[in-house]
Amino acid sequence: MLIMRHELLLIAITVILLLIEIFLPHDKKHKIILPAILLMALVTAAGFIPGPTGVLFGGMYGTSALILLMKNILNIGVLIVFIQSVSWLKLDDQKEKISEFFILLLSTLIGMDYMISSGDFLMFYLGLELATIPIATLAAFERYKEKSAEAGVKLIFMSALSSGILLYGLSMIYGTTGTVYFPEVAATFQSTPLQILAFIFFFAGMAFKISLVPFHLWAADVYEGAPINVTSYLSVISKGAAVFIFTIILYTVFAKIALMWRDVIYVIAILTMTMGNLFAMRQRNIKRFLAFSSIAQAGFILLGIIGQSQLGMTTVIYFVLIYIFSNLGAFGVATIISNKTGKESIDDYDGFYRTNPMLSLTMMLALFSLAGIPPIAGFFGKFFLFAAAAKQGLYILVLIAVLNTIVSLYYYLLIIKAMFLNRSDQPIGYFKSDGYTRLGLAICIAGILIIGFASPVYEFILKLSYGIY
Amino acid sequence: MFTYTVWIVLIPFFLFILIGFFGHKFKPLVSGVVGTSGLFASMALSYYTAYQYFFVVGKTGDVFGKIIGYNTVWLKLTEKLHIDLGVLLDPISVMMLIVITTVSFMVHLYSIGYMQGEKGYMRFFSMLSLFSFSMLGLVVATNIFQMYIFWELVGVSSYLLIGFYYTRDTAVAASKKAFIVTRFADLGFLIGILLLSFNTGTFDFLTLTDPNGVAITQGSGIMFLGLSTMTWSMIFIFMGGAGKSAMFPLHIWLPDAMEGPTPVSALIHAATMVVAGVYLVARMFPIFHFSAPVALDVVMCVGAFSSIFAAVIACTQYDIKRVLAYSTMSQIGLMMFALGVSGYGAEEGLGFMASMFHLFTHAFFKALLFLAAGAIIHAVHSNYMNDMGGLRKHLPITHITFLIACLSIAGIPPLAGFFSKDEILAAGHEKSMMLFILGLIISALTAFYMFRLYFSIFWGKQQQYHHTPHEAPKVMTIPLILLALGAVFAGFIPFSSFVTSDGKPFASHIDFAVAIPAVLVGVLGALTAMMFYMKETNIPETISRSLGGFYRAAFRKFYIDEIYLFITKKILFNYVSRPVAWFDRHIVDGSMNGISYVTNEVSTRIKGMQSGQLQQYAWIFVSGAIGLALAFIYLWTL
Amino acid sequence: MTNNQIMFFIFSAVIVIFSILTVTSRRILRAATFLLFVLVSTAGLYFMLRFNFLAAIQLTLYAGGIVVLIIFSILLTSHVGAKLEQPGLAKVIFSALTALVGAAVAIAAILQYKFPETVIPKERTNIEDIGQALISTGKYGYALPFEVISILLLAAMIGSIIIAKKRKD
Amino acid sequence: MDILTLFIVIPVITMIGIVFCKDHKQVKWAAAIGMGIQLLMAAYLIIHFLMERNAGNTAEMLFVKDVVWFPSLNIHYLVGVDGISVAMIGLTSIVIFAGVFASWEVEELTKEFFISLILLSSGVFGFFISLDLFTLFLFYELAVIPMYLLIGIWGSGPREYSAMKLTLMLMGGSALIMVGLLGLYFHSNPSGGQLTWSILDISKVHIPVDVQKFFFPFLFVGFGVLGALFPFHTWSPDGHASAPTAVSMLHAGVLMKLGGYGCFRVAVFLLPEAAHELGWIFIILTTISVIYGAFGAVWQKDLKYINAYSSVSHCGMVLFAILMFNKTAMDGAILQMISHGIMTALFFALIGMIYGRTHTRYINEMGGLMKVMPFLGVAYVIGGLASLGLPGFSGFVAEMTIFVGAFQNVDTFHRVATIIGVSSIVVTAVYILRVIGILLLGKIKNEHYEHLTDAKWHERLSTGVLIFGITAIGLAPLWLSEMISGGLGPIIQRLLLAGPVH
Amino acid sequence: MFEGVPLTWFLILATIMFFVGIYGFLVRKNLITILMSLELILNSVNINFVAFNKLLYPEHLEGMFFTVFIIAVAAAEASVAIAIIINIYRRLVNIDVENMKEMKY
C-alpha cells in the first residue's frame, strides 16, 4: 500500500473531489477550488514523507527513492498549475467545469505516476495513455472556442497515431524478446534490424510526448489552441514525466544498445534544438512562442540523457525541476495577462514593465532562467546538462547546443525587449492580480532563485540517481 | 654632491603644477612672475652646477667624466632593462642646462611683457614651465628611455604651445601637424630603442656610450639588408632626432609651428627643442662612430642637404618667422653635418665640438632673432616683410640687437657665430673639399637671407602704419639686450677645452684658410642683400622671374607640404582608413549581421513545415520514424 | 494446403482487401462497413489461433462497440450517401510512397529476423486462466492494469461528457 | 567574512538598499556610498596585499577562501587574489565609482538603472576574485547580461539593435568559453581521480597537448570576443555608441578587461603548450586588431565610435602582449588593461557629459568647445594624451612595457609583429589629435553652444578620480608593475614548460 | 509455425494492415475516416501481439492481455475522439481535417 502511496493518494483525492462535485449545488461550483488546492498541497507534502520503496505486482510496478522524487517534482508542478489556473477557472465559460478540470488533471497525473513507476511495457503503455487521453479533452476544454477544439483534435489524433506506432514497436519488442517486463527485455535486447525498427518506433512514440523534432509538430498548434493552463501543464508536467520515464527506459531497458540510441539522440537533439529555436524566433503568440521554446528545451534535455551516467540522470531531473519552475513562471505571467486582458500576442506586451513591474520582473526571471543566465537556476541546470554531455566527450554536440542557447537567448530577449525596452501608446494597463496568482508566481520565483544556489538539491538528486543506469 | 641638480629639473615641474592648478586663483601677472623667478632659480642652479662640474670637480685624469647626479628606478621592465630617472652630468648636458635655463629664463621674462593681456596668460606660463621641465629632463637623461620619455613630453608641450591660440584654425592645424610628424619620427626612435636595447641589453647611456663597453665592442648584432642591427637601430634613432630637429624630409612642421606665440618660437623652435635631435646624436655619438659609421654618414647627408635646402627656401619667404624657421632648420642642418663629419677623440672630434659650439651660440642669436621679431610683430601687428620697412627709427633697441644677431649668424667676426661656424667649416674641410664648398654656399645663403630680412624690415621703403610703431616695454627689451651680449661674446669661450667628443679637452685654433673664405662669402651675401633690399628695387623680382620654376618651387617649399598632404589625406585617410572603416562596417560586421540574417531567413523559409495541417504533421511524423529506422538499420554500423 | 492455411488466406485476403477499401472508399458509411468486415475477420484470426476470449472481446467491444459508435457519429455528422472529396494527388502519392517504404522496411526487417522455432501446445486458452490472471497480483497477473484502465475509462468518460455536452443557456 | 567576499556582498547590499530608496536622490546617494565603500575597500585591499607580500608571504594567491559548493562536481566557491587580480579590482572600483557619478543625471527609472549597473559590477568583481572556473564563468555571464537592459532601456540611437547584437555576440563568446571550460574540467585529471575546476589545481597538471590544442581556440576566442579580438569586435562600436555613459565606461573600462584577463588566466595559463603552438594565429589577429582599430578610428565621426575603435586597438594590444609569452609583455598587458580601463572610462564619461550638453556626438557638428567648457576640454585633452601614450600617463607605461617585452622574443615573427604594433602609436596620435582639433579647438560652430555650462561638481568628481588614476600610475608605475609581476611568476613558470620564455 | 501457417505470414499481414492504416490516416479528409484508419493501425498491432503470443511464447498470456488492454484503450480513445469531433462539428458544421488549420507557422 505505502509503496504505491502517491498514486493511491491521488486516486483518493480524485474520488473526494468527485464526491464534492456531486454534492455541490450548481451555482456554487467554484467552491471546489480551495479544497482541491488544499488537497493537492496535502498530497504534495505527504509525498515527501519518506516511506518504503519496492516492487509490486510481480514487477509491473516498482518504485525507488529516485522515482518518488520524480513524482514529488510532478506533484509540485501540478500544484502550481492548480494555483495558476484559478483565475482562468473563475471565468464565466469555465464555471461549470471547474471540478472536472481538477479531476481530469489529477487522472493524467495518476497516469504519469504509473508510467514512471511501470516495470513493464503494458503498464507503461497504459500510464502513457492515461496521461494523454484526458489531456486531449482538456485541450478541447474551452469548447466554445474553435481553436480549442482544433487543439483537441490535433492532440488526440496525433497521440493516437503515435501510440499506434509505439505499439507496433512494442509488439516487435515483445516478439523478439518474448516478454514485456523491463528486466527481461533488457537482458536479451540487441540491435538486429527488426529490433532497431522496434526501438525507433518506440522512440518515435516517446518523442511525440517529449515533442522532439520531427515528432513535435502537434505541439505548437495544440499549445496555442489549448487553454493556457493546459498548455503549461502539457509543456511542463506532461513533458517532464515523459522525460523521466524515457530516461529510465533508455538507461535500463535499452542499456545494451546504448551505442545506438546515443547516436539517435545525437541526431535528434541537434534537430530539436535547432528547429525549436528557428521556429520560436518568429512567433508572436506567447503560447506558441513558449511551445517552441519548450521544444528547444527538450532538445537540451537530450544532452543530459545522452550523457548516459549517474551525472546524466541527475542533470536531467535537476533540469526538469528547474524547468518546471521557470516555464511555469513564464506561463503564469502569460496566464494572468491572458485572463485579465485576453491578450496573447507578444506585441501587446510593449511597455508592460512600466505598468506592471512585478509581473514583468517575474517574466524576466523566468525567461532568463530558461535561457540559462546566471545566477538563477536555469544557468546551473543547463550548465550541468552540458557537462553531462561533455563527460561523454561530445564537445561538438555541446558546442552546437551552446550556440543554440544563443539563438534562444535572442528570442527570450525579444520578450524582455517588448516589456522593458519598447514603449507603447496603449500598454496593457495596470491590474491587480489575485492572491492565487501571486502565490503561484512566488513559488516559481522562489524555485528559480533558490534551486540554483542550493547545491544540496543537486547533491540529493545525485545521491538518489546512483545506480539507476 | 650633485644631488641638488635634480631640482633644476623639478623646479619647473612644480611651477607647472602650481601655475596650472592654482594660477587662476590669482591675477595673471602673478603666474608670470612666479614662473620667471622659478626659472631664474633653475638657471642659477645650472650655472652653479656648471661651475662645480667644470671647475670644482674638474677633470679626472684628463677627461671630464660622466657623473650620475641622481638616479632612481622608475619602472622595471626586465631584469636588465629598467627605466631609470636621473641626472647625468657630462660636458654636453651641463652645457645644455645652461643654454636651456638661460634662454628659457629670457623667454619667460620677455613673455611677461609680450603676453600681456592675452587670454590664457597663466596657461601660457604653466606650459612654458612644462616645456622647460621636459627639456631639462631630456638633456640630463641617464638612459635612452628617460630621454624618450622627456622627448615625448617636449613634443607635447610644443604641441600645446603651438596651439596656444586654439581658436585659430591655422594654429590648431599647425600644432597637429607638428605633433603627428614628430610622432612619426618618434616611432623610428622607439623602434631604434627597441633594437638597441634588445641588442645590448641596456638602456643606460654610461654602458652604451663607453667605447670599451660591451655595447660597442660586442653589440653589432645580425645583419639585415646589408647593414648591422646596430646600424639600423642608429638610423631609426636618428629618425627620431631628425623629426624633432626638423631635418629633411621631416621638417614640414617647423615653419607651420610659427603659428605659436613668438616667445614659444624663440624658446622651442629655435633655441632648445629643435636642437634635441643634435643633442641626441651627440649623446649617442660613440655608438654612431664605432658601431654604425653608415648611420653617421646618413646624419651627415641629411644634415647637409637639409641645411642647403632650407637656406634656399629661406631666401624666398616673406613671413619673417618663417624665414627664421628655415634659417633654424638650415643651422641645425649644419650642426648635424658637423656631427656627421666628426671623428672620435680630442682633435679628431673637431666636428663634434663644432656642432656643440654652434648649438650653443646659435641658441643665443636665434633666440634673440625670434624675440626681436616678436618685438617687431608686436609693434606692427603683422608677420609679413611686405608690411614692414624703415623700422629702425621706431625700434632702436630692437634694431641694434637684431643687427647683432644677423651679423652673428652670418659669421662676421668677432661675433659668436663666426667662431662656431668656422669650426664647422674647418671640420668639413678636414673631411673633404666638396663639403667645405657646400658649407661656404650655405654660409653665403645664410648671410643673404638674414640681411634680406634685416634690410627689408629696418630699411627699405617707408610704410604707412596704423599706429606709429613703438619700442617694446623694458621687460621685453632687457632679454634682447642680454641675449645680444651672449650673441656677441659667447664665441670667446674656449669651447674645446670643455666640450669634446670624448671629454678630453683640446685647444682649437682658427684656421685662416677656412676662416677667410667663410667671412668673405658672409660679407658677400650680406652685401648682395643690401644691394637688393636696402632701397626699394626691382632686382629681386627680376631674379626670381629669371629663376622661374626653381623660384616657384622654392617659394612653395619644394612642394613637400603638398606631397605630405597627398600621402596623409589621400592615401592614408582615403585609401586606408576609409576602406578599413567600410570593411569593418560591411564585411566584418556584415558577416555578423549576416549570420543573424541567414538564421532569420531560414526560419522564414521553413515555416511551411508547420502548416497547420494535421495530415502533413502525421506525414512528417511517419516518414521521420521510417527515415530514422532506415538510416539506423542500413547506415548505422558498429 | 492445410485447413489453417486456407483459413488464414481467406481471413487475410478479407482483411487486406477491406482494409484498403476502408481507406479508399468514397462513401463513408461503406467505409465503416468495410472496417467492420476487417474487424470481424480479425476476430476470425483470433478464433483460428484459439484465443476465443479475445475473439469474443474483439467482436463485442471492437466490432460491436467502436464501430457502432463510429457509425452513429457518421450519421450525426454526415449525410447518408454523401461522397467524400477525393484527396489531392500529391498527398496520395507521398502518403502511398511513405506507407510502401515503411512496409518494405518493416517486412524486410521481419524477414531478416530469425524467430525461434517453437512447438505450439494444442490446447486452447482456458477462460479460467484468463480470469485468474486478470485478478492476480503476481507476475503475469493483470490486476493493476485492470484498475488503471478503469481510471482511464472513467476519465475518458468524464472528458467526453464535458466536451460533448451542450451549453446550458 | 573574508575581505574578498565582501567585494560581492557590498554591491548586493547596495542593491538591496537601493530597492528600499524612496526617490532619485536617495538612490543616487545609496549607490555612491556603496561604491565609495567599495573603492575604499579596494584601496585597503591593495595596501593589505602589498603589506602581506612585503612581509614575505609568497603564496601564489592571498586571502584564499575555499568553500565547497557542489561536492559531486567538485565546484567550489574558491576566491583568492594575486597582484594581477588586486590590480583589476582596483581598476573596477575606480571605474564604477566614477561611473556612479557620471550617471548622476539619469532620470528615467533611476532605481533600475543603478541596480543593473551595480549588478554588473558585482559580476565583474566576482570574476576577478574567482579561482574556480565554474564561479568564474558564472560571474562572467552575470556581468554580461545586465548590459542588455542597460543599453536597451537607457541607451540612445539604435539601442535595441546594439543591445541585442552586443548581448548575442558576447554570449556567443561565452558559449565557446563554456565548451572550453567543460573540456578543461573533464581533462583536469588525466591520471584519473577527482576532477577539479580550480585554476590552481589545473595549473599543476599536464593536459595532453592535442587536448590543449582542441580547447585553446575555444577559450581564447571566447574570451577574445569580449576582449574585442578581430574579427569579433563589431559589437563594440555599436554597443558603445548606444550605451548610456556609465555603461560605456564600465563596459569599455572593465568588462572588456574580463576578456583579456580570461585569455590570460584561463586560456594561456592553463593551456600553455597549445598557446605556444597556436599563438601565431592569434598574434596575427591581434596585430591586425591593433592597427585596424586605429585606422578604423581615424575615419569615424561619432565620438563614441572613435573611442570604440580605439578600444579595439588598445585591447588588441592586451591580447597581443599576452601572446608574447614573456613576463615583461604580460606585465605590460595587465598594465595596459588597467590603463586602458581608466582612460577609456574617462573618455566615455567625458563624451557622455559633452553629449548631455550638445545633444550630438558628431564631431563635425561641434567645435571650439574648449572655450565654453574648459574643464571638460582639458580633461578630454588629458584623456587623449594619455590614450596616445604620453609619458606621465598610464598608457605610456603600459605600451612601453608591452613593446619592450614583446621585442625580447628572438624570432623574427614576433618582432615584426611588434614593430607593426608599435606603429599604431602614430595612427593613434592622428585620430586623437583630429578629434581634439575638431571638437575642442577652433571656433565655435554653433552659437547655441556659447551658453553651455562647464562641468558640475559630480562630473568634476567623476573625471577627477579617473584622471588621478591615470596620472598616478603614469608618474609612479613601479609599485603597480612590481605587484603585477609578482603575480606573473607562477604563470611564467608554467609557460616555461611549454617552450622558451625570455 | 502454427499448423502450416508461419509466424512471418501473420506479421506481414499485420504490417500491411498497419501501413494501410497509416496511408488512410495520411490521406483521408473526414475526421471519422481517419479515426477508422487508426482502428486499423491498432488492430494490426493486436494481430502482431496475438501471433507472437501464440506462435512464439505460448507459456504466458502477455500478448493476449496486451491486446485486451489495447482494445480497451482504443475504445476510450475513440470515445474521446468522437466527442471532440462532435464538438468540432457543432462549431464548424464540417469535420474535414483540412479545415483545421487556423493555427499554423
Side-chain angles (χ1 to χ4, degrees), chain B residues 271-285:
Chain B
T272 55
M273 185 188 86
V274 287
V275 299
V278 180
Y279 180 76
L280 174 67
V281 177
R283 177 53 82 209
M284 310 291 288
F285 191 72

mmCIF file with all atom_site columns, all heavy atoms in Angstrom, chain B residues 271-285:
data_model
loop_
_atom_site.group_PDB
_atom_site.id
_atom_site.type_symbol
_atom_site.label_atom_id
_atom_site.label_alt_id
_atom_site.label_comp_id
_atom_site.label_asym_id
_atom_site.label_entity_id
_atom_site.label_seq_id
_atom_site.pdbx_PDB_ins_code
_atom_site.Cartn_x
_atom_site.Cartn_y
_atom_site.Cartn_z
_atom_site.occupancy
_atom_site.B_iso_or_equiv
_atom_site.pdbx_formal_charge
_atom_site.auth_seq_id
_atom_site.auth_comp_id
_atom_site.auth_asym_id
_atom_site.auth_atom_id
_atom_site.pdbx_PDB_model_num
ATOM 1   N N   . ALA B 1 271 ? 65.825 77.699 -30.163 1.00 0.00 ? 271 ALA B N   1
ATOM 2   C CA  . ALA B 1 271 ? 66.999 77.537 -29.316 1.00 0.00 ? 271 ALA B CA  1
ATOM 3   C C   . ALA B 1 271 ? 67.122 76.156 -28.701 1.00 0.00 ? 271 ALA B C   1
ATOM 4   O O   . ALA B 1 271 ? 68.215 75.623 -28.598 1.00 0.00 ? 271 ALA B O   1
ATOM 5   C CB  . ALA B 1 271 ? 66.961 78.580 -28.214 1.00 0.00 ? 271 ALA B CB  1
ATOM 6   N N   . THR B 1 272 ? 66.025 75.573 -28.279 1.00 0.00 ? 272 THR B N   1
ATOM 7   C CA  . THR B 1 272 ? 66.194 74.380 -27.460 1.00 0.00 ? 272 THR B CA  1
ATOM 8   C C   . THR B 1 272 ? 65.642 73.109 -28.084 1.00 0.00 ? 272 THR B C   1
ATOM 9   O O   . THR B 1 272 ? 66.391 72.204 -28.451 1.00 0.00 ? 272 THR B O   1
ATOM 10  C CB  . THR B 1 272 ? 65.565 74.588 -26.084 1.00 0.00 ? 272 THR B CB  1
ATOM 11  O OG1 . THR B 1 272 ? 64.213 74.972 -26.263 1.00 0.00 ? 272 THR B OG1 1
ATOM 12  C CG2 . THR B 1 272 ? 66.294 75.656 -25.321 1.00 0.00 ? 272 THR B CG2 1
ATOM 13  N N   . MET B 1 273 ? 64.335 73.040 -28.210 1.00 0.00 ? 273 MET B N   1
ATOM 14  C CA  . MET B 1 273 ? 63.780 71.732 -28.576 1.00 0.00 ? 273 MET B CA  1
ATOM 15  C C   . MET B 1 273 ? 64.303 71.216 -29.897 1.00 0.00 ? 273 MET B C   1
ATOM 16  O O   . MET B 1 273 ? 64.620 70.043 -30.029 1.00 0.00 ? 273 MET B O   1
ATOM 17  C CB  . MET B 1 273 ? 62.263 71.769 -28.623 1.00 0.00 ? 273 MET B CB  1
ATOM 18  C CG  . MET B 1 273 ? 61.683 70.396 -28.877 1.00 0.00 ? 273 MET B CG  1
ATOM 19  S SD  . MET B 1 273 ? 59.930 70.399 -29.154 1.00 0.00 ? 273 MET B SD  1
ATOM 20  C CE  . MET B 1 273 ? 59.868 70.730 -30.887 1.00 0.00 ? 273 MET B CE  1
ATOM 21  N N   . VAL B 1 274 ? 64.393 72.109 -30.875 1.00 0.00 ? 274 VAL B N   1
ATOM 22  C CA  . VAL B 1 274 ? 64.792 71.618 -32.183 1.00 0.00 ? 274 VAL B CA  1
ATOM 23  C C   . VAL B 1 274 ? 66.223 71.127 -32.200 1.00 0.00 ? 274 VAL B C   1
ATOM 24  O O   . VAL B 1 274 ? 66.602 70.389 -33.103 1.00 0.00 ? 274 VAL B O   1
ATOM 25  C CB  . VAL B 1 274 ? 64.588 72.683 -33.273 1.00 0.00 ? 274 VAL B CB  1
ATOM 26  C CG1 . VAL B 1 274 ? 63.127 72.849 -33.582 1.00 0.00 ? 274 VAL B CG1 1
ATOM 27  C CG2 . VAL B 1 274 ? 65.210 73.983 -32.875 1.00 0.00 ? 274 VAL B CG2 1
ATOM 28  N N   . VAL B 1 275 ? 67.025 71.530 -31.229 1.00 0.00 ? 275 VAL B N   1
ATOM 29  C CA  . VAL B 1 275 ? 68.377 71.001 -31.235 1.00 0.00 ? 275 VAL B CA  1
ATOM 30  C C   . VAL B 1 275 ? 68.465 69.675 -30.495 1.00 0.00 ? 275 VAL B C   1
ATOM 31  O O   . VAL B 1 275 ? 69.532 69.079 -30.407 1.00 0.00 ? 275 VAL B O   1
ATOM 32  C CB  . VAL B 1 275 ? 69.393 71.995 -30.635 1.00 0.00 ? 275 VAL B CB  1
ATOM 33  C CG1 . VAL B 1 275 ? 69.410 73.265 -31.457 1.00 0.00 ? 275 VAL B CG1 1
ATOM 34  C CG2 . VAL B 1 275 ? 69.072 72.279 -29.185 1.00 0.00 ? 275 VAL B CG2 1
ATOM 35  N N   . ALA B 1 276 ? 67.305 69.227 -29.984 1.00 0.00 ? 276 ALA B N   1
ATOM 36  C CA  . ALA B 1 276 ? 67.317 67.953 -29.267 1.00 0.00 ? 276 ALA B CA  1
ATOM 37  C C   . ALA B 1 276 ? 67.845 66.838 -30.148 1.00 0.00 ? 276 ALA B C   1
ATOM 38  O O   . ALA B 1 276 ? 68.530 65.928 -29.684 1.00 0.00 ? 276 ALA B O   1
ATOM 39  C CB  . ALA B 1 276 ? 65.920 67.623 -28.767 1.00 0.00 ? 276 ALA B CB  1
ATOM 40  N N   . GLY B 1 277 ? 67.508 66.920 -31.440 1.00 0.00 ? 277 GLY B N   1
ATOM 41  C CA  . GLY B 1 277 ? 67.991 65.891 -32.351 1.00 0.00 ? 277 GLY B CA  1
ATOM 42  C C   . GLY B 1 277 ? 69.506 65.875 -32.405 1.00 0.00 ? 277 GLY B C   1
ATOM 43  O O   . GLY B 1 277 ? 70.142 64.813 -32.390 1.00 0.00 ? 277 GLY B O   1
ATOM 44  N N   . VAL B 1 278 ? 70.080 67.089 -32.467 1.00 0.00 ? 278 VAL B N   1
ATOM 45  C CA  . VAL B 1 278 ? 71.534 67.191 -32.488 1.00 0.00 ? 278 VAL B CA  1
ATOM 46  C C   . VAL B 1 278 ? 72.100 66.621 -31.196 1.00 0.00 ? 278 VAL B C   1
ATOM 47  O O   . VAL B 1 278 ? 73.063 65.853 -31.199 1.00 0.00 ? 278 VAL B O   1
ATOM 48  C CB  . VAL B 1 278 ? 71.941 68.672 -32.642 1.00 0.00 ? 278 VAL B CB  1
ATOM 49  C CG1 . VAL B 1 278 ? 73.456 68.790 -32.673 1.00 0.00 ? 278 VAL B CG1 1
ATOM 50  C CG2 . VAL B 1 278 ? 71.322 69.260 -33.879 1.00 0.00 ? 278 VAL B CG2 1
ATOM 51  N N   . TYR B 1 279 ? 71.442 66.998 -30.130 1.00 0.00 ? 279 TYR B N   1
ATOM 52  C CA  . TYR B 1 279 ? 71.896 66.533 -28.833 1.00 0.00 ? 279 TYR B CA  1
ATOM 53  C C   . TYR B 1 279 ? 71.830 65.012 -28.767 1.00 0.00 ? 279 TYR B C   1
ATOM 54  O O   . TYR B 1 279 ? 72.737 64.353 -28.244 1.00 0.00 ? 279 TYR B O   1
ATOM 55  C CB  . TYR B 1 279 ? 71.024 67.155 -27.742 1.00 0.00 ? 279 TYR B CB  1
ATOM 56  C CG  . TYR B 1 279 ? 71.413 66.738 -26.360 1.00 0.00 ? 279 TYR B CG  1
ATOM 57  C CD1 . TYR B 1 279 ? 72.545 67.275 -25.753 1.00 0.00 ? 279 TYR B CD1 1
ATOM 58  C CD2 . TYR B 1 279 ? 70.664 65.815 -25.658 1.00 0.00 ? 279 TYR B CD2 1
ATOM 59  C CE1 . TYR B 1 279 ? 72.916 66.887 -24.481 1.00 0.00 ? 279 TYR B CE1 1
ATOM 60  C CE2 . TYR B 1 279 ? 71.020 65.422 -24.386 1.00 0.00 ? 279 TYR B CE2 1
ATOM 61  C CZ  . TYR B 1 279 ? 72.158 65.952 -23.797 1.00 0.00 ? 279 TYR B CZ  1
ATOM 62  O OH  . TYR B 1 279 ? 72.526 65.569 -22.550 1.00 0.00 ? 279 TYR B OH  1
ATOM 63  N N   . LEU B 1 280 ? 70.772 64.474 -29.322 1.00 0.00 ? 280 LEU B N   1
ATOM 64  C CA  . LEU B 1 280 ? 70.600 63.016 -29.306 1.00 0.00 ? 280 LEU B CA  1
ATOM 65  C C   . LEU B 1 280 ? 71.762 62.340 -30.033 1.00 0.00 ? 280 LEU B C   1
ATOM 66  O O   . LEU B 1 280 ? 72.372 61.395 -29.527 1.00 0.00 ? 280 LEU B O   1
ATOM 67  C CB  . LEU B 1 280 ? 69.273 62.648 -29.965 1.00 0.00 ? 280 LEU B CB  1
ATOM 68  C CG  . LEU B 1 280 ? 69.012 61.163 -30.166 1.00 0.00 ? 280 LEU B CG  1
ATOM 69  C CD1 . LEU B 1 280 ? 68.848 60.466 -28.831 1.00 0.00 ? 280 LEU B CD1 1
ATOM 70  C CD2 . LEU B 1 280 ? 67.764 60.953 -30.997 1.00 0.00 ? 280 LEU B CD2 1
ATOM 71  N N   . VAL B 1 281 ? 72.067 62.865 -31.225 1.00 0.00 ? 281 VAL B N   1
ATOM 72  C CA  . VAL B 1 281 ? 73.161 62.255 -31.982 1.00 0.00 ? 281 VAL B CA  1
ATOM 73  C C   . VAL B 1 281 ? 74.464 62.421 -31.210 1.00 0.00 ? 281 VAL B C   1
ATOM 74  O O   . VAL B 1 281 ? 75.277 61.493 -31.122 1.00 0.00 ? 281 VAL B O   1
ATOM 75  C CB  . VAL B 1 281 ? 73.253 62.868 -33.381 1.00 0.00 ? 281 VAL B CB  1
ATOM 76  C CG1 . VAL B 1 281 ? 74.440 62.283 -34.134 1.00 0.00 ? 281 VAL B CG1 1
ATOM 77  C CG2 . VAL B 1 281 ? 71.978 62.615 -34.145 1.00 0.00 ? 281 VAL B CG2 1
ATOM 78  N N   . ALA B 1 282 ? 74.638 63.604 -30.620 1.00 0.00 ? 282 ALA B N   1
ATOM 79  C CA  . ALA B 1 282 ? 75.854 63.831 -29.858 1.00 0.00 ? 282 ALA B CA  1
ATOM 80  C C   . ALA B 1 282 ? 75.941 62.869 -28.681 1.00 0.00 ? 282 ALA B C   1
ATOM 81  O O   . ALA B 1 282 ? 76.994 62.314 -28.383 1.00 0.00 ? 282 ALA B O   1
ATOM 82  C CB  . ALA B 1 282 ? 75.881 65.266 -29.351 1.00 0.00 ? 282 ALA B CB  1
ATOM 83  N N   . ARG B 1 283 ? 74.802 62.629 -28.071 1.00 0.00 ? 283 ARG B N   1
ATOM 84  C CA  . ARG B 1 283 ? 74.755 61.757 -26.913 1.00 0.00 ? 283 ARG B CA  1
ATOM 85  C C   . ARG B 1 283 ? 75.128 60.320 -27.300 1.00 0.00 ? 283 ARG B C   1
ATOM 86  O O   . ARG B 1 283 ? 75.853 59.626 -26.592 1.00 0.00 ? 283 ARG B O   1
ATOM 87  C CB  . ARG B 1 283 ? 73.337 61.826 -26.320 1.00 0.00 ? 283 ARG B CB  1
ATOM 88  C CG  . ARG B 1 283 ? 73.004 60.977 -25.172 1.00 0.00 ? 283 ARG B CG  1
ATOM 89  C CD  . ARG B 1 283 ? 73.915 61.069 -23.988 1.00 0.00 ? 283 ARG B CD  1
ATOM 90  N NE  . ARG B 1 283 ? 73.687 62.177 -23.080 1.00 0.00 ? 283 ARG B NE  1
ATOM 91  C CZ  . ARG B 1 283 ? 74.652 62.745 -22.355 1.00 0.00 ? 283 ARG B CZ  1
ATOM 92  N NH1 . ARG B 1 283 ? 75.904 62.322 -22.476 1.00 0.00 ? 283 ARG B NH1 1
ATOM 93  N NH2 . ARG B 1 283 ? 74.389 63.724 -21.539 1.00 0.00 ? 283 ARG B NH2 1
ATOM 94  N N   . MET B 1 284 ? 74.631 59.914 -28.447 1.00 0.00 ? 284 MET B N   1
ATOM 95  C CA  . MET B 1 284 ? 74.899 58.549 -28.891 1.00 0.00 ? 284 MET B CA  1
ATOM 96  C C   . MET B 1 284 ? 76.158 58.460 -29.746 1.00 0.00 ? 284 MET B C   1
ATOM 97  O O   . MET B 1 284 ? 76.409 57.442 -30.377 1.00 0.00 ? 284 MET B O   1
ATOM 98  C CB  . MET B 1 284 ? 73.718 58.024 -29.736 1.00 0.00 ? 284 MET B CB  1
ATOM 99  C CG  . MET B 1 284 ? 72.360 58.196 -29.147 1.00 0.00 ? 284 MET B CG  1
ATOM 100 S SD  . MET B 1 284 ? 72.107 57.153 -27.714 1.00 0.00 ? 284 MET B SD  1
ATOM 101 C CE  . MET B 1 284 ? 71.996 55.577 -28.473 1.00 0.00 ? 284 MET B CE  1
ATOM 102 N N   . PHE B 1 285 ? 76.901 59.554 -29.773 1.00 0.00 ? 285 PHE B N   1
ATOM 103 C CA  . PHE B 1 285 ? 77.960 59.662 -30.768 1.00 0.00 ? 285 PHE B CA  1
ATOM 104 C C   . PHE B 1 285 ? 78.932 58.475 -30.801 1.00 0.00 ? 285 PHE B C   1
ATOM 105 O O   . PHE B 1 285 ? 79.251 57.964 -31.879 1.00 0.00 ? 285 PHE B O   1
ATOM 106 C CB  . PHE B 1 285 ? 78.728 60.976 -30.593 1.00 0.00 ? 285 PHE B CB  1
ATOM 107 C CG  . PHE B 1 285 ? 79.643 61.257 -31.728 1.00 0.00 ? 285 PHE B CG  1
ATOM 108 C CD1 . PHE B 1 285 ? 79.129 61.637 -32.961 1.00 0.00 ? 285 PHE B CD1 1
ATOM 109 C CD2 . PHE B 1 285 ? 81.017 61.111 -31.608 1.00 0.00 ? 285 PHE B CD2 1
ATOM 110 C CE1 . PHE B 1 285 ? 79.955 61.864 -34.034 1.00 0.00 ? 285 PHE B CE1 1
ATOM 111 C CE2 . PHE B 1 285 ? 81.843 61.339 -32.676 1.00 0.00 ? 285 PHE B CE2 1
ATOM 112 C CZ  . PHE B 1 285 ? 81.316 61.728 -33.894 1.00 0.00 ? 285 PHE B CZ  1
#
